[in-house]
Amino acid sequence: MRQVCVVGVGFSQWGEVWRRSLRGLFVDAAMNAIKNAGVDHLDSLYVGCMASGPFVSQEHLGALMADYLGMKGLPAMRVESACASGGMAFRQAFIEVAGGFSDIVMASGVEKMTDCSGDDATAALAMAADQEYEVFNGATFPGLYALMAHAHMARYGTTRQMLSAIAVKNHKNGAKNPVAQYPFEITIEGVEKSVMIADPLHILDCSPITDGAAAVIVTTEEIARKLGKPYIKVLGSGLATDTIQLAHRADLTTIKASTLAAERALKMAGKTIRDVQFAEVHDCFTIAELVILESIGVYKPGQAGPAILAGETALEGKFPVNSSGGLKSKGHPVGATGIAQIAEVYKQLTGQAEKGRQIPGSPKIGMTQNMGGSGASSVVHIMEVA
Amino acid sequence: MTMFSSRNWREYPQRYRLEASKFKKSGKTYFPPRAVDPETGDTAQEMVKLPDTGKIVTYTVIRTAPSQWTEIAPYALAIAELTDGTRLMAQVVDCDVNAVKIGMEIRIEFRRIQSESDHGVLSYGYKFVPKWY
Amino acid sequence: MAGIVGYGAHLPRHRIKVEEIAKVWGADAPSYKKGLMLREKSVPPPDMDTITLAVEAAKNALKRSGGVNPVDIGAIYIGSESHPYAVKPSGTVVAEAIGATPDIHCADFEFACKAGSEAMFVALSHVDSGYMKYALAIAADTSQGAPSDALEFSAAAGAGAFIMGKDNLIAECLFTHSYMTDMPDFWRREHQFYPQHGGRFTGEEAYFAHTKGASKALLKKSGLKPSDFTYAVFHQPNGKFPQRVAFELGFTQEQIDPGWLAPRLGNTYSGASPIGLTATLDVSKPGDLIFMCSYGSGAGSDGFVWKVTQRIDEVRDKAVRTHKLLDENLIYVDYGTYAKFRRKIKMNE
């Protein structure tokens, strides 16, 4: 297996990007990543996207994106695993380079979510759940995570304030991120006074509907070194699945797929969770960040909430989480999210995070955790400074 | 989105009669039925009907609902564990949504789940109601 | 003769008070309360319809049937004026839900408020003739009265279900009599949402003439007199009509009391006298005679004489009693909620 590196990253504009289409968002991010890495060609392309069909009636993204990137003929394919599509696309690029099949691969993600009604967007996102036994009966995505939240609160005494603190912390980080859709700070009271979506989750517990794309260049260490640009090493990649239905999980307070994915990624990296210094995790809802931190072993069950309240996951805390602002503040163009997480770890490890949001102490090892649906799929990557 | 009627029709044994599969080796019941027991890999099974009472394991109240559900919003949604240990998700109706709690005893009732406007097919299935008698 | 092997009812928990409806239309609540003896009525929530009420009532009937296997039921007949589909039977859904398919005959009946007793009559006949072992008759409605119309104060929802058979009876049917003329007192044309009616023309010549016509013929046929009966149940479009017709025929308040549900339930249309019968069976004793007479606009009445057997004591609490559903754990709604529940608010498609 060859050492795999990330050598450049690029974003499109994120938010309600009325002037860009699905392909336009992708091309913006892809060209930025190519420029950032300084590569003169690609050997192949992966496009992570959850639901371009339901959102904008467009499938067949591999060919479409290669074509509009001016690279017709390029091996290109789409990867889908709901909200984990981006992380999965990155894993495919990692495998292709590690296995020696290609030398320079673009892993990208894109989602155009605002060209449809709010109802249609909700329906599209709900396609990640079990249509026949969850969505048919009225489940929505906030609803599924709200079910986990109440279970966690009942079992561990997790409080409303702990959830609010996650949103406040992520907005504080996102306020300094130029990509962020909602780059402003919020307060605990603000979260708790915001409109209730699905008890106990308010609108400010939820990640928004976002248009956006992100791309990274995945290559070998030899090429990365030659390019002369800052790069990071990918030490481990882990992927796991769980039951599609929440009702089929024995424990509703943990996300087993994330536990398994983290164990696999750490094992490949030859590290333990204690070696990891910061993480970008999939905070589609505040409760998700809390549950994930326990599921991947950063905290023991029931301990993440108090740690978050104590500031341990803040930018200057002992284990900074979502320095990018997370899905909450940065935005959540579902297919792009997993790639954006990799890009954030790249920026942090190479000291390129924007002013005021660089994690202090030059961390050496970072991690991403991306997941689909209510946690039925999860992908984890461990990265190290070169 | 319009649900083609065959998709609902196929699920009648589960939605109408709560038919589940019980595996011979493990004695475990799965709803909806599945071909392979995830614990043992066993495929030998028999059809059983789920009991119609249980307790709420976790719940939420959907207050901001997609327009498809505005007619019934706000509505409570829960996972319940039935008396045989099987868990399933359904709406909790016939009570104040603010009164739904973990541990609340429920009974399963046959209800209309979805209707495609005034002209489409009607979909029926199961919902939870408080077990008050 | 054949009779009832299992019976059950189902009612919504939601109610609206007469005052709440009267307030919206500036109507005189006391005149409805005193004049028509209506206090409140049941309101089906949006996820309840004739089919769902029928399924739950049928399940309760099965619970009281002493183990009738649903696949042994040879026919399912549902009488209603609010079948959810104009084309597509209600009975197929109900039969599927209780596990009675596919070797079964099915028909939906419609005869205004008499559709339920029609279903009972036909089911009884099939079983009595030996044509099949069991037949299931269900009377269910989620009726709508036009906003502000007098019917809005009474149109309600509920269901009663009866498994007819020949052995192991809870109540034997001793006599029946049906009585019918063509009568334009109440109707709903195809594609119309609300029914229309002839106002006071629905009284003397319609309800009373037919109810009395069938009742008198049934008493004559049976050689029984009102005082021979422990209980009597009549169609109840409001609280007043069944009481008046009972008195005019020589029955007493005590006889109609257990099945006189309209003051608190409203008019459950096809379900009215059948649900009244379930409530009466709930309190009856072995040997009791029960007189029953339905009425459906259009117009006609079906009369039945039931004789309660020993089995009643064993089965009455195998399922929820009708009065429990009528009296306990009610949820009162305001007119806005009622209008939303009954789809009276014009929405965007």
Side-chain angles (χ1 to χ4, degrees):
Chain A
M1 200 165 93
R2 304 195 289 180
Q3 175 62 57
V4 177
C5 298
V6 175
V7 71
V9 304
F11 285 89
S12 70
Q13 188 189 340
W14 279 33
E16 291 176 335
V17 189
W18 302 116
R19 288 173 181 258
R20 279 290 183 278
S21 63
L22 177 74
R23 70 188 75 172
L25 291 166
F26 165 82
V27 171
D28 286 352
M31 289 179 70
N32 284 338
I34 288 169
K35 194 174 155 203
N36 187 245
V39 291
D40 60 1
H41 75 284
L42 299 179
D43 293 331
S44 83
L45 165 69
Y46 288 95
V47 183
C49 182
M50 174 185 166
S52 54
F55 280 125
V56 292
S57 308
Q58 179 70 60
E59 307 288 19
H60 208 173
L61 299 196
L64 173 76
M65 299 314 181
D67 183 10
Y68 276 77
L69 192 54
M71 295 187 185
K72 61 178 188 292
L74 183 72
M77 69 180 282
R78 172 190 177 169
V79 178
E80 188 275 314
S81 187
C83 316
S85 300
M88 300 291 184
F90 181 78
R91 181 177 154 87
Q92 290 310 112
F94 168 83
I95 290 169
E96 190 162 329
V97 172
F101 295 95
S102 296
D103 292 334
I104 305 174
V105 180
M106 176 180 283
S108 68
V110 62
E111 211 76 57
K112 177 70 190 173
M113 301 172 74
T114 59
D115 278 352
C116 64
S117 69
D119 271 355
D120 288 346
T122 305
L125 292 170
M127 290 174 190
D130 185 323
Q131 283 294 314
E132 305 298 352
Y133 289 90
E134 293 184 323
V135 180
F136 175 80
N137 287 322
T140 60
F141 254 95
L144 294 174
Y145 279 90
L147 290 167
M148 290 190 235
H150 270 151
H152 204 280
M153 287 169 149
R155 177 143 174 206
Y156 296 113
T158 299
T159 63
R160 193 37 265 181
Q161 197 192 9
M162 292 169 185
L163 300 183
S164 304
I166 294 167
V168 168
K169 183 260 301 171
N170 287 352
H171 270 271
K172 193 174 177 199
N173 293 342
K176 301 186 189 82
N177 187 346
V179 174
Q181 179 175 13
Y182 293 123
F184 51 74
E185 296 196 22
I186 57 172
T187 62
I188 296 237
E189 304 74 62
V191 178
E192 284 157 27
K193 279 186 184 152
S194 70
V195 66
M196 186 70 94
I197 300 295
D199 299 12
L201 303 179
H202 296 257
I203 185 92
L204 288 180
D205 286 296
C206 309
S207 56
I209 297 279
T210 312
D211 299 327
V216 300
I217 305 296
V218 181
T219 188
T220 62
E221 186 157 25
E222 193 189 343
I223 294 171
R225 209 178 286 133
K226 263 191 218 154
L227 286 166
K229 298 282 175 85
Y231 68 90
I232 60 170
K233 294 195 271 191
V234 184
L235 301 184
S237 173
L239 163 62
T241 56
D242 197 357
T243 66
I244 192 91
Q245 267 195 58
L246 212 49
H248 288 164
R249 300 189 197 152
D251 186 350
L252 294 168
T253 63
T254 187
I255 290 177
K256 193 76 186 295
S258 296
T259 308
L260 291 173
E263 279 171 11
R264 287 166 189 171
L266 287 164
K267 190 178 172 204
M268 187 189 288
K271 305 284 181 194
T272 73
I273 193 70
R274 298 289 149 230
D275 298 319
V276 178
Q277 293 160 292
F278 69 100
E280 283 288 303
V281 306
H282 197 94
D283 61 320
C284 47
F285 301 92
T286 49
I287 182 66
E289 177 166 325
L290 188 148
V291 170
I292 286 304
L293 290 177
E294 294 174 355
S295 302
I296 62 178
V298 177
Y299 294 104
K300 289 200 167 70
Q303 295 304 304
I308 289 157
L309 276 185
E312 289 185 20
T313 57
L315 196 67
E316 57 291 337
K318 139 173 150 184
F319 188 84
V321 177
N322 285 332
S323 55
S324 67
L327 285 53
K328 176 73 207 74
S329 163
K330 185 170 85 260
H332 183 27
V334 280
T337 283
I339 299 294
Q341 291 180 324
I342 302 284
E344 173 66 11
V345 170
Y346 171 85
K347 282 182 163 190
Q348 290 291 350
L349 288 177
T350 56
Q352 298 186 72
E354 289 78 6
K355 195 169 179 296
R357 60 178 212 89
Q358 179 69 48
I359 295 169
S362 307
K364 302 286 183 283
I365 296 180
M367 162 182 200
T368 59
Q369 178 274 335
N370 185 203
M371 66 184 165
S374 57
S377 66
S378 187
V379 56
V380 169
H381 286 97
I382 313 290
M383 284 149 286
E384 186 180 43
V385 73
Chain B
M1 212 173 68
T2 302
M3 182 166 67
F4 209 69
S5 58
S6 55
R7 228 182 89 195
N8 185 43
W9 166 81
R10 197 173 298 118
E11 307 296 325
Y12 281 176
Q14 284 67 52
R15 292 191 179 143
Y16 286 15
R17 300 190 296 272
L18 295 165
E19 289 182 10
S21 50
K22 184 171 184 173
F23 287 93
K24 300 255 155 94
K25 224 179 269 174
S26 67
K28 287 240 175 186
T29 302
Y30 292 91
F31 179 83
R34 42 176 77 212
V36 185
D37 184 340
E39 290 195 5
T40 62
D42 188 17
T43 55
Q45 56 169 285
E46 56 173 345
M47 189 276 279
V48 293
K49 275 173 106 170
L50 296 183
D52 66 355
T53 56
K55 272 185 190 172
I56 288 179
V57 172
T58 188
Y59 72 97
T60 182
V61 179
I62 312 281
R63 299 195 188 260
T64 308
S67 62
Q68 175 193 8
W69 303 103
T70 45
E71 190 174 65
I72 56 158
Y75 60 95
L77 182 77
I79 293 175
E81 184 167 306
L82 303 182
T83 49
D84 70 342
T86 316
R87 288 182 177 191
L88 72 170
M89 183 183 292
Q91 290 171 29
V92 190
V93 295
D94 279 10
C95 62
D96 176 359
V97 291
N98 300 307
V100 176
K101 281 191 207 50
I102 292 175
M104 187 170 121
E105 289 197 85
I106 56 91
R107 176 197 311 283
I108 289 177
E109 263 196 29
F110 188 80
R111 294 293 177 111
R112 193 191 278 192
I113 310 293
Q114 296 189 27
S115 54
E116 274 169 33
S117 64
D118 285 339
H119 46 263
V121 74
L122 301 169
S123 303
Y124 295 91
Y126 48 86
K127 290 191 183 185
F128 303 141
V129 298
K131 184 173 177 265
W132 61 273
Y133 60 82
Chain C
M1 201 180 159
I4 298 165
V5 175
Y7 72 93
H10 195 59
L11 303 176
R13 281 178 67 184
H14 299 80
R15 298 286 185 278
I16 188 166
K17 288 185 182 292
V18 160
E19 288 86 347
E20 180 65 23
I21 301 172
K23 190 173 76 187
V24 173
W25 302 112
D28 183 38
S31 77
Y32 283 99
K33 293 184 81 172
K34 277 198 190 133
L36 292 175
M37 292 183 168
L38 286 168
R39 302 215 301 266
E40 57 197 52
K41 66 167 189 172
S42 67
V43 178
D47 59 0
M48 207 180 244
D49 60 22
T50 286
I51 288 173
T52 69
L53 284 162
V55 168
E56 291 299 327
K59 285 186 191 168
N60 284 335
L62 281 166
K63 284 181 193 166
R64 288 197 179 97
S65 72
V68 166
N69 187 341
V71 299
D72 292 333
I73 296 172
I76 178 167
Y77 299 125
I78 301 180
S80 179
E81 65 101 67
S82 49
H83 291 291
Y85 288 99
V87 176
K88 193 197 171 307
S90 299
T92 52
V93 184
V94 179
E96 196 75 56
I98 62 168
T101 54
D103 298 308
I104 185 168
H105 184 251
C106 167
D108 285 1
F109 288 5
E110 187 283 316
F111 193 147
C113 298
K114 183 175 97 74
S117 62
E118 267 181 333
M120 292 169 72
F121 181 84
V122 177
L124 263 175
S125 309
H126 282 344
V127 172
D128 200 52
S129 69
Y131 198 65
M132 55 185 64
K133 195 170 178 196
Y134 301 112
L136 173 58
I138 306 174
D141 254 315
T142 55
S143 309
Q144 293 255 36
S148 90
D149 188 282
L151 285 182
E152 194 186 17
F153 291 84
S154 59
F162 303 87
I163 299 167
M164 305 301 188
K166 259 187 164 168
D167 304 316
N168 211 20
L169 300 179
I170 296 170
E172 185 187 357
C173 185
L174 301 183
F175 300 94
T176 66
H177 188 81
S178 290
Y179 183 98
M180 187 204 85
T181 70
D182 186 44
M183 184 81 206
D185 59 330
F186 171 100
W187 62 91
R188 178 163 63 83
R189 291 278 301 275
E190 183 96 290
H191 307 306
Q192 294 301 299
F193 194 62
Y194 298 114
Q196 300 197 29
H197 56 84
R200 293 189 61 79
F201 185 49
T202 60
E204 222 51 65
E205 293 291 351
Y207 176 85
F208 290 100
H210 291 80
T211 305
K212 283 188 205 167
S215 297
K216 285 178 180 166
L218 185 59
L219 289 169
K220 192 174 169 197
K221 197 187 262 184
S222 64
L224 294 162
K225 47 191 190 305
S227 58
D228 293 329
F229 292 88
T230 315
Y231 300 112
V233 183
F234 294 95
H235 175 56
Q236 32 203 305
N238 49 55
K240 179 88 174 175
F241 279 26
Q243 194 189 48
R244 200 187 117 192
V245 87
F247 293 171
E248 286 177 7
L249 285 164
F251 291 94
T252 65
Q253 182 68 39
E254 290 67 37
Q255 284 171 301
I256 63 167
D257 254 341
W260 188 50
L261 312 178
R264 274 170 305 159
L265 183 59
N267 179 8
T268 52
Y269 282 55
S270 304
S273 51
I275 297 171
L277 177 62
T278 67
T280 306
L281 286 167
D282 281 344
V283 297
S284 63
K285 290 178 292 300
D288 283 352
L289 284 178
I290 301 172
F291 185 91
M292 171 183 171
C293 185
S294 68
Y295 171 74
S297 292
S301 288
D302 294 320
F304 303 83
V305 173
W306 304 100
K307 186 174 185 187
V308 180
T309 74
Q310 297 289 339
R311 241 190 101 222
I312 189 67
D313 290 332
E314 177 192 318
V315 304
R316 78 176 93 235
D317 286 318
K318 297 273 188 204
V320 63
R321 291 197 195 188
T322 302
H323 264 279
K324 199 168 177 72
L325 296 171
L326 182 70
D327 302 335
E328 294 179 28
N329 267 298
L330 304 179
I331 303 168
Y332 285 92
V333 298
D334 57 17
Y335 195 89
T337 304
Y338 158 77
K340 175 174 140 172
F341 277 12
R342 303 297 0 244
R343 301 182 178 88
K344 288 173 190 285
I345 301 172
K346 211 169 176 65
M347 306 284 284
N348 250 342
E349 266 290 298

